[in-house]
Amino acid sequence: MKTFHQLRKHRRLYKAKRWFGQHFAGLIHITQWLAKKLAFLRILRFLNPFRYIKRMDWYIIKKFVGTYFFSILLIISVAIVFDVNDNLPKFTENHAPLRAIVFDYYLNFVPYFANLFSALFVFIAVIFFTSKMAGNSEIIAIMASGISFKRLLRPYMITCIMLSAMSYALSAYVIPYGTVVRQNFEIKYKKKSKNTSAENVQLQVDRGVIAYLQHYDNQSKKGFGFCLDKFKDKKLVSHLTAMEVQYDTISDSKYHWKIRNWKVRQLQGLKEHITSGAEKDTIIMMEPTDLVYSKGQQETFTSPALKDYISKQINRGSGNVVQYQVEYHKRIAASFASFILTIIGVSLSSRKRKGGMGTSLGIGLALSFSYIMLQTISATFAIQDNFPPMLAAWMPNFLFAFVAYFCYRNAPR
């Protein structure tokens, strides 16, 4: 039986609820309507990626990431020591300042070198810490608890997504800017040769417009013996000649050229109209990068710029775009290599062996170096023997995908 105080309290709550319902009935209806409309937001909890990452996954992810960056730090430290030992006489002879050596050369050398062998570092990290887990019977304990090998791969794949995204972002957007600085340092202080001129350059700068340069100097951005022919319906309608052409490097927009001692012949049937002048500013759809090619130039373009350059050169009918196409596709294919090599590494090293991790590490290193060698060979075939650039970039991934599938099927269950 309720006491008098309980009944009194109940009566007060009832009166308060009744008063609130009479004065705020509309607010209650609005709240109920919003609750029904926002019920679909409950599905968002299934889209939360952290919902699928358990304690075991965090344990493997931390080991993976830690071993990966430790292996990069270790190997790059050794590479820097050898590089300093090899280049120190050149730096001393050419009076390279310490600030330029550290910030212009090595600060850009480290990301380039690390990203170049990123797949190898991923593979070594997987082999190393997974073999250690298998040697400590951790893999056996995980599988004995009812976790399948497929489920065991989940934290590895999650880490590969993060590392692959980081690798692609570096190669596509960050490293090209550093490569320009590093190459300029090498030219200045290591005296590496760079192609700075071109002879007898002919290219299509626009539809029906052909440009010709007898000689071009990239250092001064100046050309000599310039001709520009315009065709309409396969007939020559304009012929421009100039003794000298100078690219405007301080202009706010591209394609600005200054021509000197010029003459234009406008052809109209059997008649022609000739105009000439000493100097004139004009727009010609070409840039210095279209005229001179230097070794490794494709590495200085970001991926969007590289894609635009390839499209522009193909439209002009240029055949010297294969190395640019290989570089563009290789950046994408290299980021996917981490997934393939990780599956191979886990499949090889998750079994407990008597000899420890030596056998797994030896097989893994042989496979990873085979992948790098195949990647180099396929790129050479594309440049030298007209092999399709996209297929050349993806061929190592296709071949090693079969190796990964075979290793996955024979992995311990």
Side-chain angles (χ1 to χ4, degrees):
M1 179 178 287
K2 294 184 178 180
T3 63
F4 174 76
H5 294 288
Q6 289 175 339
L7 290 172
R8 189 176 180 182
K9 183 179 180 181
H10 179 74
R11 184 173 177 274
R12 287 177 179 173
L13 289 174
Y14 174 75
K15 287 177 68 176
K17 186 177 179 182
R18 186 178 177 182
W19 180 86
F20 186 81
Q22 290 175 351
H23 292 79
F24 298 96
L27 182 61
I28 293 173
H29 289 302
I30 292 173
T31 305
Q32 292 175 349
W33 178 80
L34 284 175
K36 290 179 181 179
K37 292 296 182 182
L38 297 177
F40 75 95
L41 293 177
R42 296 175 184 175
I43 198 173
L44 294 179
R45 64 191 182 114
F46 296 101
L47 301 178
N48 182 13
F50 294 101
R51 181 174 181 269
Y52 302 97
I53 303 178
K54 308 300 180 183
R55 183 175 295 181
M56 181 202 73
D57 300 322
W58 284 117
Y59 177 73
I60 294 176
I61 289 172
K62 289 176 182 178
K63 279 185 171 292
F64 194 165
V65 174
T67 311
Y68 171 77
F69 285 106
F70 176 76
S71 62
I72 285 180
L73 183 63
L74 183 64
I75 295 176
I76 287 184
S77 300
V78 175
I80 289 176
V81 169
F82 280 100
D83 190 79
V84 169
N85 184 59
D86 185 46
N87 292 316
L88 191 58
K90 296 179 182 178
F91 294 157
T92 307
E93 181 182 351
N94 295 300
H95 307 287
L98 180 62
R99 182 182 178 84
I101 294 173
V102 175
F103 292 99
D104 292 347
Y105 183 68
Y106 283 109
L107 198 63
N108 296 303
F109 169 82
V110 169
Y112 172 79
F113 187 84
N115 193 69
L116 183 65
F117 297 102
S118 177
L120 174 62
F121 294 143
V122 167
F123 197 64
I124 291 174
V126 169
I127 290 284
F128 185 81
F129 85 86
T130 307
S131 297
K132 192 173 181 180
M133 287 177 62
N136 295 333
S137 301
E138 293 180 58
I139 302 294
I140 296 174
I142 290 172
M143 292 188 172
S145 64
I147 294 176
S148 63
F149 184 77
K150 184 178 179 180
R151 173 63 181 83
L152 179 66
L153 285 175
R154 181 190 293 179
Y156 290 92
M157 295 297 103
I158 292 172
T159 310
C160 282
I161 291 173
M162 296 187 294
L163 296 180
S164 297
M166 181 186 69
S167 175
Y168 179 75
L170 285 173
S171 62
Y173 299 100
V174 179
I175 292 178
Y177 294 107
T179 302
V180 175
V181 178
R182 180 173 55 84
Q183 288 182 354
N184 292 335
F185 176 89
E186 290 176 346
I187 293 168
K188 185 175 182 180
Y189 296 110
K190 294 178 69 175
K191 301 300 180 182
K192 282 195 173 183
S193 60
K194 183 180 180 181
N195 188 19
T196 59
S197 63
E199 304 287 339
N200 299 322
V201 180
Q202 184 174 358
L203 71 157
Q204 180 176 324
V205 297
D206 201 355
R207 187 179 297 274
V209 182
I210 306 297
Y212 172 79
L213 271 169
Q214 185 177 4
H215 175 78
Y216 177 76
D217 182 19
N218 195 46
Q219 290 183 337
S220 60
K221 308 294 188 218
K222 186 182 292 185
F224 303 92
F226 178 69
C227 296
L228 188 69
D229 295 329
K230 295 183 181 180
F231 294 86
K232 186 176 182 180
D233 298 329
K234 298 183 180 180
K235 292 182 179 179
L236 182 65
V237 296
S238 174
H239 177 68
L240 181 148
T241 58
M243 293 293 293
E244 186 179 303
V245 59
Q246 175 74 52
Y247 185 69
D248 190 355
T249 57
I250 61 175
S251 176
D252 295 333
S253 57
K254 299 186 294 184
Y255 310 128
H256 280 257
W257 294 83
K258 184 176 289 186
I259 55 177
R260 299 184 177 93
N261 298 325
W262 58 273
K263 181 188 291 186
V264 179
R265 296 173 58 192
Q266 299 286 346
L267 304 175
Q268 298 175 352
L270 297 178
K271 298 180 180 181
E272 68 176 8
H273 178 68
I274 300 176
T275 56
S276 61
E279 188 172 289
K280 181 181 180 180
D281 291 330
T282 184
I283 293 178
I284 306 172
M285 303 296 288
M286 65 180 186
E287 295 181 272
T289 53
D290 302 328
L291 304 173
V292 178
Y293 170 75
S294 57
K295 186 179 180 181
Q297 182 177 339
Q298 66 273 13
E299 297 176 356
T300 63
F301 288 93
T302 62
S303 286
L306 191 61
K307 186 178 180 180
D308 293 339
Y309 181 83
I310 292 169
S311 177
K312 184 173 65 175
Q313 293 299 102
I314 290 175
N315 291 334
R316 289 175 173 175
S318 176
N320 191 26
V321 295
V322 178
Q323 60 266 33
Y324 296 91
Q325 292 175 319
V326 171
E327 176 68 21
Y328 179 78
H329 293 295
K330 188 171 72 173
R331 291 177 182 180
I332 304 173
S335 61
F336 281 92
S338 301
F339 295 93
I340 298 172
L341 294 177
T342 295
I343 294 174
I344 296 175
V346 177
S347 303
L348 290 175
S349 58
S350 58
R351 190 186 303 273
K352 188 174 183 178
R353 303 177 186 274
K354 282 188 176 181
M357 70 177 70
T359 305
S360 301
L361 193 61
I363 297 173
L365 287 174
L367 287 173
S368 58
F369 281 114
S370 300
Y371 174 85
I372 295 172
M373 183 180 68
L374 183 61
Q375 194 178 47
T376 305
I377 292 173
S378 61
T380 305
F381 281 157
I383 296 172
Q384 301 294 336
D385 298 328
N386 297 324
F387 200 70
M390 185 175 181
L391 185 59
W394 283 90
M395 183 188 291
N397 286 0
F398 291 149
L399 294 178
F400 274 77
F402 289 104
V403 178
Y405 179 75
F406 175 78
C407 294
Y408 173 78
R409 297 293 297 177
N410 291 275
R413 302 291 172 180

